[in-house]
Amino acid sequence: SGLLSGKLSARMHLCVFAVGLSAPMRQVPAASTRASTVRMGYTRGSDLLGTGPSVSEREVVNVLGRWKSYTQWNDKIGALAELDRMEVISPWSELVVDGKTGKLRRPATDEEKEMRTPARSPQRRAWCQKRGLAQRYWHNANVGLLPFKDEAMARSVGATAAQLNREPISRLACGVVFDAISDGQGGIVEFGLCDERRATYQRPDGTFDAKAFGDGVRQATRTIAVGYAVYPGILNVIFAYVGYRIDAYHLIVEAAGDFVSGVQTSWDTTGAASLAAPMLLAAGYVYGIAMKPTPTVDAAATDVRYQIGERTARLKK
């Protein structure tokens, strides 16, 4: 049985890898446009089966058509204007603090927790800038701040630049675009490579090259699939082989039998009292979940500051 488990595990990862070669692009009906009646739907590179949420060509173009170089969303735009002025001197985080005392006054909201991701810390920013790396976080955060002016790209999806400029940016589309550019699900990509891959998604006449972009997304999926095949795929095969060598199945059956025998002996000895301890533990666990207090939000504590250690970050003069 252990050998069979190992073979099934290996076959499963090979199947996932094979599926990844063709995912994550599928045909979906398009919104009414003049360009064509069918558009390609793109899913995230990590969606190996291509069955998750997808974005249309129009949504992808609405992201790509706003920039041609990483500098447009990576230099002096949005929060980066202030972030690049901060001194990088110690570990960093963001806390919701009282505007007067500087003390933590309330739990952070989901939006504020997302803001505290290490990807937007001045340390990560400085590290990436020094090594010539563009970050996924700032791409996703700042692309929507750029205007859409590329008429040729807009024409590819039967729209005008003004129409796409008014449409909101899809966060999923930002993720799909960076998957293709980064060749996977990583959070960084070299400056030069970023612009080089972005240029390949546009034909010489300036229109969107759906085939080139689809190839980029599929390559990202292949990279991720290979990663999963190596880890945890190889580990699973190793565990299955070791289980086969030590006859893990019979060891588990014997251990289960010993457990059932112990429970039966305890019941015969103490009766229902043997269930007291497990029931108390279960009741305590359920009570802890049910009675978890709801955080009280102090409306007065709305100031979100950069924190360095116990001090507020200083701006460079």
Side-chain angles (χ1 to χ4, degrees):
S1 57
L3 180 59
L4 177 59
S5 175
K7 290 182 178 179
L8 289 176
S9 177
R11 289 178 180 175
M12 179 185 68
H13 285 92
L14 288 174
C15 289
V16 170
F17 174 74
V19 171
L21 298 180
S22 58
M25 189 169 66
R26 62 174 184 266
Q27 294 282 349
V28 295
S32 57
T33 65
R34 297 189 301 270
S36 72
T37 58
V38 176
R39 291 296 186 201
M40 302 301 295
Y42 304 95
T43 58
R44 289 294 305 271
S46 56
D47 183 5
L48 302 183
L49 300 179
T51 58
S54 66
V55 293
S56 64
E57 280 188 17
R58 188 183 183 101
E59 291 173 299
V60 169
V61 166
N62 197 20
V63 174
L64 288 172
R66 294 173 184 262
W67 64 280
K68 293 182 182 295
S69 173
Y70 74 92
T71 57
Q72 293 174 258
W73 48 261
N74 192 61
D75 294 341
K76 298 179 181 179
I77 181 174
L80 288 176
E82 180 181 358
L83 190 69
D84 286 342
R85 296 174 57 207
M86 294 181 60
E87 293 181 343
V88 183
I89 57 177
S90 67
W92 171 92
S93 66
E94 274 188 324
L95 301 175
V96 182
V97 298
D98 182 87
K100 296 181 179 179
T101 66
K103 295 181 179 180
L104 182 65
R105 291 291 300 277
R106 63 176 173 83
T109 63
D110 290 340
E111 291 78 9
E112 290 161 349
K113 289 178 181 178
E114 183 177 352
M115 289 175 63
R116 299 208 309 270
T117 172
R120 73 185 301 271
S121 68
Q123 283 77 15
R124 179 72 61 83
R125 167 73 173 172
W127 186 89
C128 289
Q129 288 294 98
K130 183 178 180 179
R131 290 161 178 79
L133 301 172
Q135 293 177 255
R136 177 189 293 268
Y137 179 88
W138 294 115
H139 168 265
N140 296 355
N142 293 335
V143 164
L145 303 178
L146 299 170
F148 192 106
K149 299 181 179 180
D150 197 323
E151 289 289 353
M153 287 286 276
R155 191 167 55 250
S156 304
V157 292
T160 65
Q163 288 175 330
L164 292 182
N165 189 53
R166 290 192 295 268
E167 293 182 7
I169 289 289
S170 164
R171 291 178 62 89
L172 179 58
C174 288
V176 172
V177 166
F178 206 87
D179 285 348
I181 289 175
S182 64
D183 191 19
Q185 55 184 345
I188 55 178
V189 64
E190 295 178 5
F191 288 160
L193 193 57
C194 179
D195 288 355
E196 178 183 332
R197 288 177 175 166
R198 161 61 182 84
T200 63
Y201 306 146
Q202 204 162 359
R203 298 189 183 97
D205 62 357
T207 57
F208 176 57
D209 192 335
K211 180 181 182 303
F213 183 77
D215 290 343
V217 178
R218 281 190 292 271
Q219 179 58 44
T221 301
R222 284 192 289 268
T223 301
I224 297 169
V226 170
Y228 285 152
V230 174
Y231 178 83
I234 290 179
L235 285 182
N236 288 340
V237 173
I238 293 174
F239 290 151
Y241 175 73
V242 172
Y244 166 72
R245 296 293 296 179
I246 65 175
D247 196 12
Y249 173 77
H250 290 95
L251 290 177
I252 293 173
V253 170
E254 291 176 5
D258 292 342
F259 175 77
V260 172
S261 177
V263 171
Q264 183 64 46
T265 301
S266 179
W267 178 267
D268 294 338
T269 304
T270 60
S274 62
L275 301 178
M279 292 181 64
L280 285 175
L281 290 174
Y285 178 76
V286 173
Y287 178 82
I289 295 177
M291 301 303 294
K292 185 177 181 179
T294 302
T296 301
V297 176
D298 184 352
T302 58
D303 186 20
V304 180
R305 296 183 183 179
Y306 294 100
Q307 296 289 323
I308 293 183
E310 296 181 353
R311 297 175 295 156
T312 301
R314 299 190 300 272
L315 296 180
K316 295 178 181 178
K317 296 182 180 179

